[in-house]
Amino acid sequence: MSSHVRILTLKFCTCELKNLTYALEKCGESYEIVGDRIRLTDCVIEKLGTSYFIRTEDYRTSVIQKFKQINSTVADVESKLRELKIEEQKALAEQARINMEMFKVRQIKKEQDQLEYDRRKLELEKQDFVMAKRWPSKLKPKRWAIRSKKQSRTAK
């Protein structure tokens, strides 16, 4: 006569230990972490690869109910974390948009300052040009007169 033992393996919907332990605490479960296992009062949560799961023999309803309660809490936690991550990404995108707008404003201000500098420089150059035109006109008659006298002496 052989005895058949049926083992049910129930996989949790998280790969994060911190989410699983948070759910255990929220469900009021006392636990102890030993290596890759989490020992509860009436069952053990094991880790295989990146997944956590419970094995139960003969489909014990108490363990199945505990799994459903813990897994439901884990799903809620993971859902809230996803929502928070989305909100964080939205906030980062908004901050990036604001930074881009501020950059554009600084660029426009810089261009305005450069235009004002160029306008002022042209104004000063214009004033210098006008002043340069005035000086020679005052000096030209004297120079012309001096040259005329020299030329008239050499012509004689």
Side-chain angles (χ1 to χ4, degrees):
M1 187 158 141
S2 66
S3 63
H4 293 282
V5 177
R6 297 182 309 180
I7 298 175
L8 177 63
T9 302
L10 305 168
K11 183 178 174 185
F12 287 98
C13 62
T14 187
C15 297
E16 298 290 328
L17 178 63
K18 63 183 177 186
N19 295 347
L20 184 57
T21 55
Y22 178 79
L24 289 169
E25 291 168 6
K26 196 167 180 179
C27 291
E29 293 290 331
S30 60
Y31 63 91
E32 178 185 9
I33 299 175
V34 181
D36 283 345
R37 294 177 176 205
I38 302 171
R39 290 189 182 171
L40 305 176
T41 52
D42 58 348
C43 61
V44 176
I45 299 174
E46 299 178 49
K47 181 178 183 182
L48 179 63
T50 58
S51 301
Y52 290 94
F53 59 92
I54 289 179
R55 288 188 188 150
T56 181
E57 297 173 357
D58 294 326
Y59 298 93
R60 292 187 356 217
T61 52
S62 63
V63 174
I64 294 171
Q65 285 301 109
K66 187 177 287 193
F67 169 79
K68 286 179 181 179
Q69 180 186 11
I70 295 168
N71 204 38
S72 174
T73 306
V74 167
D76 291 343
V77 167
E78 298 249 331
S79 173
K80 287 177 185 174
L81 286 174
R82 275 191 298 278
E83 290 172 8
L84 287 173
K85 188 172 269 191
I86 289 169
E87 289 299 317
E88 181 182 4
Q89 289 173 346
K90 285 180 182 177
L92 288 173
E94 180 63 19
Q95 186 62 44
R97 189 193 64 75
I98 290 170
N99 288 344
M100 185 58 102
E101 290 297 320
M102 290 173 62
F103 175 75
K104 287 177 182 177
V105 167
R106 286 192 303 269
Q107 284 297 105
I108 290 170
K109 176 70 172 136
K110 184 178 175 183
E111 289 172 4
Q112 287 174 339
D113 290 347
Q114 184 64 40
L115 287 172
E116 179 61 26
Y117 172 79
D118 292 343
R119 186 193 63 77
R120 183 72 180 135
K121 184 178 173 185
L122 284 172
E123 186 178 306
L124 290 173
E125 287 175 358
K126 180 180 175 183
Q127 289 174 359
D128 289 344
F129 181 74
V130 169
M131 292 298 285
K133 285 281 195 181
R134 287 183 187 167
W135 272 102
S137 64
K138 291 179 182 178
L139 295 177
K140 276 185 183 178
K142 291 179 186 177
R143 285 186 191 165
W144 183 256
I146 295 171
R147 285 186 188 159
S148 298
K149 287 180 187 178
K150 286 182 183 177
Q151 287 175 353
S152 60
R153 285 184 200 164
T154 54
K156 292 180 185 180

